[in-house]
Amino acid sequence: MKRAMGGKTAGSRRDVWLLISIVILCLYALFLIYPLFMVLRNAVVSESGAFTLSHFVKFFSKRYYISTMANSFALSVSVTAFSLLLGLPLAYFYNLYEIKGARVLQIFIILCSMSAPFVGAYSWILLLGRNGVITNLFKNLLGVTIPSIYGFHGIVLVLCSQMFPLVFLYVSGALRNVDNTLLEASENMGCSGAKRFFTVVIPLCAPSVIAAMLMVFMRAFADFGTPMFIGEGYRTFPVELYNSFISETGGDTHFAAALAVIAIVITALVFLIQRYVNNRFQFTMSALHPIERRKAKGLHNVLIHAFCYLVVLFGYAPQLYVIYTSFQNTSGKIFVQGYSLNSYREALAQLQNAIPNTFLIGGVALLFIVATSVLVAYLVVRRNNFVNRFIDTLSMIPYVIPGAVIGIAMIISFNKKPLVLVGTAAIMIIALVIRRNAYTIRSSVAILQQIPLSVEEAASSLGSSKLKTFFRVTMPMMGNGIISGALLSWIAIITELATGILLYNYRTTTLTIEIFTAVLRGNYGIAAAMACILTVMTTISLLLFMKISKNKDITF
């Protein structure tokens, strides 16, 4: 009888997790699968509702649209290549050699990647624009006209200054797992310096290098703000997608949907190719003897320090100059002599709704992200079946497709009854949760895989229910992974632009949208003050994370 009762109890406990799987799957079906299906539907129907492929024919038959795709690919490949050139050696030097001020250096490296890309574009305009400080310096002192920041080269410069930290973080994480004896053995065999870097270190870090390449490529391909600001004649796919949907003469929803489908197909193919290549290079390492930093000697030491500090200066100098200009006086839209807090006063006056909205919308989104991510992570690791693997795959889809696609999908799907969300804060929260929960899911899965199942079995043997064990034992042990993922999700939320710019209205505007608007209007003093407020928010978030998690080094 006890056995029968025990079997009933165990069955009911299993049903709880089955119910959680079904609920999460239904939420994804409503807020991801259905919107993407509506995008596909709109892409293959005409205004009259008849089936047509004319929108795709229009795209592939006109050189103008094909060139935007080619431009985006050329841009993404270039940004990926230059980010590797900076990030790989930076991670190598940082992890293998003693560098003075390494702790501070790492903080600034991370901060380089935490500002919104369009803020970086605005920063570089102040430095290298037609009236930029560096532009004028070269022109007045040397009589040299340096190349314009606008166009392809400028976009590559801006994105590289913010993407190389991603390569640094991924490769640093891989180097934590490299056994030092492998490096010592290679050095004893006469393989040192650059030869060791290319023949030993990079092959050992291959999976992380490939993952970093995918991340940089996809972020560069999906970036909207930077080409919008400084692209001028250089057209990219995300900007074309936005312009097709939001047009002064009335957007073409069906053609924009076709562009969104093309974007989904391209990003999915890139992601699948990366997964295939990554699986070919996949292997596990256990660092019984972690790498110990050693001090370089002579000129070698000077060059290492010079490289590291110059790269970080390249990445963070634009933000430093924005901070400087935020204190300059302005007359209308022009900077004038003298310093004051006037830009901050005007910025704060304009941000009376934006700052609270940023914290409210972002905070609510983050709560939902943490709540759903830990459940998904547990289902994926501890309840591994087809349904839960499918949920895990669904969570990665918004991670790799452009934010504008998610925004367009939400508008098409929820702008009429029975569920009208367009124009509300709810649609922005849902879009942020769908788009940014992958960070927390991945970090939660990684930490849960390191927690022995025997810990939960011990709690269960003492009479604790499965849910009670999860909330009181498993979740506290997952703390560092949850906090790490939540930090990345939070930074991505407060710097989000591509989705928010399509979904906001005057009541739900956020800090990043206000900065974007101020720059477009040429209010550079106010934009600088707003950008500094955003920088302070991201810096405080990073420092709080490091304080709470007690992590000395942050890696992916």
Side-chain angles (χ1 to χ4, degrees):
M1 184 175 178
K2 288 182 179 178
R3 192 176 303 167
M5 291 177 63
K8 184 178 179 181
T9 303
S12 64
R13 287 172 181 169
R14 283 195 295 272
D15 289 341
V16 171
W17 287 105
L18 177 61
L19 179 62
I20 291 173
S21 293
I22 293 172
V23 170
I24 292 175
L25 186 60
C26 289
L27 290 173
Y28 270 113
L30 177 60
F31 295 119
L32 181 61
I33 297 176
Y34 170 67
L36 293 180
F37 169 77
M38 290 300 293
V39 168
L40 177 60
R41 179 185 176 277
N42 273 264
V44 294
V45 297
S46 63
E47 292 291 342
S48 62
F51 176 82
T52 180
L53 295 176
S54 60
H55 308 301
F56 293 98
V57 172
K58 177 182 176 182
F59 177 85
F60 288 106
S61 63
K62 292 189 177 181
R63 187 174 181 181
Y64 171 85
Y65 295 116
I66 296 295
S67 67
T68 62
M69 183 70 69
N71 288 347
S72 288
F73 269 103
L75 180 66
S76 300
V77 170
S78 299
V79 172
T80 302
F82 283 108
S83 296
L84 287 174
L85 287 175
L86 295 176
L88 277 173
L90 183 64
Y92 178 75
F93 293 144
Y94 179 86
N95 288 279
L96 268 71
Y97 297 98
E98 292 181 7
I99 297 174
K100 292 181 180 179
R103 181 78 165 147
V104 175
L105 195 71
Q106 190 202 29
I107 291 174
F108 279 103
I109 291 171
I110 297 168
L111 288 175
C112 288
S113 68
M114 284 188 169
S115 67
F118 73 92
V119 173
Y122 160 65
S123 308
W124 282 104
I125 288 173
L126 295 178
L127 290 174
L128 293 173
R130 295 185 179 94
N131 197 37
V133 60
I134 296 178
T135 304
N136 288 335
L137 184 66
F138 273 78
K139 187 175 181 179
N140 296 332
L141 293 182
L142 304 175
V144 175
T145 302
I146 61 176
S148 172
I149 189 68
Y150 300 97
F152 174 79
H153 298 94
I155 301 172
V156 171
L157 175 72
V158 171
L159 291 180
C160 282
S161 68
Q162 294 191 314
M163 300 299 182
F164 79 83
L166 297 177
V167 179
F168 168 84
L169 292 171
Y170 272 99
V171 177
S172 292
L175 288 172
R176 299 283 186 277
N177 295 319
V178 173
D179 198 302
N180 196 48
T181 55
L182 294 174
L183 301 182
E184 292 175 347
S186 64
E187 194 167 5
N188 291 335
M189 297 177 67
C191 183
S192 60
K195 185 178 180 181
R196 181 177 66 175
F197 174 73
F198 287 107
T199 60
V200 179
V201 174
I202 289 183
L204 288 174
C205 299
S208 293
V209 172
I210 294 169
M213 289 173 64
L214 171 72
M215 173 66 77
V216 173
F217 184 93
M218 297 311 303
R219 283 188 58 171
F221 183 84
D223 186 59
F224 159 76
T226 305
M228 189 74 173
F229 278 148
I230 63 175
E232 291 196 345
Y234 195 83
R235 305 176 303 273
T236 63
F237 193 73
V239 174
E240 188 61 40
L241 180 61
Y242 173 82
N243 289 336
S244 297
F245 192 75
I246 306 293
S247 173
E248 293 179 0
T249 58
D252 185 345
T253 303
H254 296 283
F255 182 63
L259 294 183
V261 170
I262 294 169
I264 293 170
V265 171
I266 291 170
T267 51
L269 286 174
V270 173
F271 180 67
L272 291 174
I273 292 170
Q274 183 270 340
R275 289 283 293 269
Y276 172 76
V277 175
N278 194 53
N279 288 336
R280 294 290 301 271
F281 287 92
Q282 194 68 41
F283 55 85
T284 57
M285 289 187 296
S286 180
L288 299 176
H289 302 89
I291 293 175
E292 296 180 2
R293 293 184 176 94
R294 62 181 183 180
K295 187 174 182 179
K297 298 179 181 179
L299 181 61
H300 192 196
N301 186 45
V302 173
L303 292 175
I304 287 174
H305 277 78
F307 177 84
C308 292
Y309 278 99
L310 285 174
V311 169
V312 175
L313 181 64
F314 159 72
Y316 201 72
Q319 293 187 47
L320 290 176
Y321 190 68
V322 167
I323 295 172
Y324 166 74
T325 58
S326 70
F327 293 101
Q328 282 188 287
N329 282 328
T330 57
S331 176
K333 299 180 180 180
I334 303 172
F335 289 110
V336 295
Q337 289 185 345
Y339 303 91
S340 68
L341 296 176
N342 291 337
S343 293
Y344 284 94
R345 293 190 187 96
E346 293 183 41
L348 291 172
Q350 295 184 23
L351 296 176
Q352 289 181 359
N353 291 327
I355 292 179
N357 284 343
T358 300
F359 281 100
L360 179 61
I361 293 173
V364 173
L366 186 64
L367 289 176
F368 278 106
I369 284 172
V370 172
T372 56
S373 295
V374 294
L375 293 175
V376 170
Y378 189 85
L379 291 171
V380 170
V381 177
R382 296 290 193 250
R383 306 272 170 169
N384 191 5
N385 55 45
F386 174 78
V387 173
N388 294 334
R389 287 194 297 271
F390 181 61
I391 291 173
D392 189 37
T393 302
L394 286 176
S395 72
M396 289 299 296
I397 292 174
Y399 178 71
V400 297
I401 61 179
V405 173
I406 300 296
I408 291 171
M410 290 290 176
I411 293 171
I412 292 174
S413 304
F414 302 115
N415 66 347
K416 56 186 177 181
K417 293 181 179 181
L419 188 58
V420 179
L421 296 176
V422 173
T424 68
I427 196 170
M428 295 186 71
I429 292 170
I430 292 168
L432 288 171
V433 172
I434 291 294
R435 183 157 157 74
R436 299 305 185 184
N437 68 349
Y439 296 106
T440 310
I441 290 175
R442 296 270 64 83
S443 63
S444 298
V445 165
I447 197 71
L448 185 57
Q449 288 173 335
Q450 299 174 21
I451 299 174
L453 183 60
S454 57
V455 175
E456 296 172 42
E457 292 173 342
S460 298
S461 67
L462 294 172
S464 177
S465 67
K466 294 292 184 182
L467 283 178
K468 188 176 180 180
T469 299
F470 172 73
F471 285 110
R472 293 196 175 184
V473 178
T474 309
M475 269 192 65
M477 295 179 70
M478 293 170 62
N480 260 7
I482 295 171
I483 293 171
S484 177
L487 169 75
L488 295 174
S489 294
W490 172 248
I491 298 299
I493 285 169
I494 63 176
T495 58
E496 175 68 32
L497 176 67
T499 304
I501 200 70
L502 291 170
L503 299 177
Y504 87 102
N505 60 30
Y506 71 96
R507 291 179 309 223
T508 58
T509 183
T510 60
L511 182 53
T512 49
I513 294 170
E514 288 292 338
I515 298 171
F516 181 78
T517 305
V519 175
L520 284 183
R521 292 174 178 171
N523 296 322
Y524 292 140
I526 296 174
M530 292 178 178
C532 287
I533 294 170
L534 182 61
T535 299
V536 169
M537 289 171 60
T538 55
T539 303
I540 290 174
S541 301
L542 175 62
L543 295 177
L544 281 176
F545 162 74
M546 297 177 75
K547 178 72 174 177
I548 294 170
S549 66
K550 296 181 173 60
N551 274 2
K552 292 183 178 180
D553 293 298
I554 298 174
T555 59
F556 290 164

